[in-house]
Amino acid sequence: TCDTGDQQTTATVHLKEPASAATIVESLKDVATFEGEDAVFECRLSQETAQDAQWFLGDVPLQSNEMNEIRVQGTRHSLILRKVTLEDCGSISFRVGQHLSAA
């Protein structure tokens, strides 16, 4: 508001957060392990607001369960594939908004 005594004008500021302002600042790295061991994948984002983050094995979206553990600690996102088998071989990817990292 600007008030000069006999005149006054007012304006409003509106802020919109982009759909996904987070970017991937530390990409996934390839993992080689033995059958029956855990495989751990990690990447780091530019900010913590990534609610649309998703892990994939091939084209299949992953969820936390007894075989897959998905963790978020601040800007660090982790996927632990428990007791991997030969059938788990393939591409792991992490997507946030329009950004993608794969290993």
Side-chain angles (χ1 to χ4, degrees):
T1 300
C2 179
D3 191 339
T4 62
D6 59 340
Q7 292 182 337
Q8 185 180 49
T9 184
T10 302
T12 305
V13 175
H14 297 279
L15 297 177
K16 293 182 182 179
E17 184 174 337
S20 177
T23 59
I24 298 171
V25 296
E26 186 179 313
S27 298
L28 295 176
K29 294 180 179 40
D30 292 343
V31 172
T33 189
F34 293 101
E35 191 170 16
E37 293 185 352
D38 294 349
V40 179
F41 297 88
E42 291 185 335
C43 66
R44 192 168 52 88
L45 302 181
S46 60
Q47 61 186 36
E48 295 184 26
T49 62
Q51 297 203 4
D52 58 345
Q54 179 68 58
W55 289 94
F56 295 87
L57 174 56
D59 293 331
V60 178
L62 299 175
Q63 304 294 327
S64 271
N65 57 36
E66 65 279 351
M67 298 305 295
N68 313 312
E69 183 179 345
I70 296 173
R71 294 182 186 169
V72 179
Q73 295 172 316
T75 60
R76 185 161 304 280
H77 289 248
S78 305
L79 169 67
I80 303 169
L81 299 179
R82 301 256 181 238
K83 299 178 181 169
V84 295
T85 67
L86 291 176
E87 294 153 1
D88 295 317
C89 289
S91 176
I92 293 290
S93 58
F94 178 81
R95 180 183 305 273
V96 58
Q98 301 299 313
H99 305 281
L100 176 74
S101 181

